[in-house]
Amino acid sequence: MGPVKLYRSTRFDSAASNLTLPAGTLDPVIGQSYYQLAMASRSRHRSQDMGQLQRPGPSSVRLALLATRPGASVVGGGLFAGVDTTVHGAGMDATRR
């Protein structure tokens, strides 16, 4: 079936961005931002010398939508618009509580 949407980073081309995600917001469970978590992961690439500072504070991820699956409804324009996020299996249904 394939992906519903394909995005690319616009880190160096902010004019091409059509979606910006806040990455500097602290996650209350892990006590770090998603950016800090990503930089900690990169720092574990010891052989490739990819370490980065884990700066706190606001940051954002800029993306550009490159393609959507023909016939897919992406109304709303968010990252998961038109993507089926239902959890399947083991009798679980994320839409019921």
Side-chain angles (χ1 to χ4, degrees), residues 22-76:
T25 306
L26 288 181
D27 182 283
V29 175
I30 61 173
Q32 291 181 309
S33 69
Y34 296 118
Y35 176 77
Q36 289 173 310
L37 186 62
M39 292 306 101
S41 174
R42 285 189 70 172
S43 293
R44 289 179 175 82
H45 290 267
R46 301 286 185 212
S47 65
Q48 298 171 358
D49 194 29
M50 295 178 65
Q52 298 269 329
L53 291 176
Q54 299 173 28
R55 293 186 176 102
S59 67
S60 60
V61 175
R62 293 183 303 270
L63 302 170
L65 180 62
L66 294 182
T68 58
R69 184 185 317 145
S73 173
V74 292
V75 176

Side-chain angles (χ1 to χ4, degrees), residues 7-14 16-25 33-36 38-39 57-65 79:
Y7 287 94
R8 75 165 175 87
S9 171
T10 56
R11 182 175 176 186
F12 300 109
D13 184 12
S14 59
S17 299
N18 54 19
L19 179 64
T20 302
L21 303 173
T25 306
S33 69
Y34 296 118
Y35 176 77
Q36 289 173 310
M39 292 306 101
S59 67
S60 60
V61 175
R62 293 183 303 270
L63 302 170
L65 180 62
L79 184 63

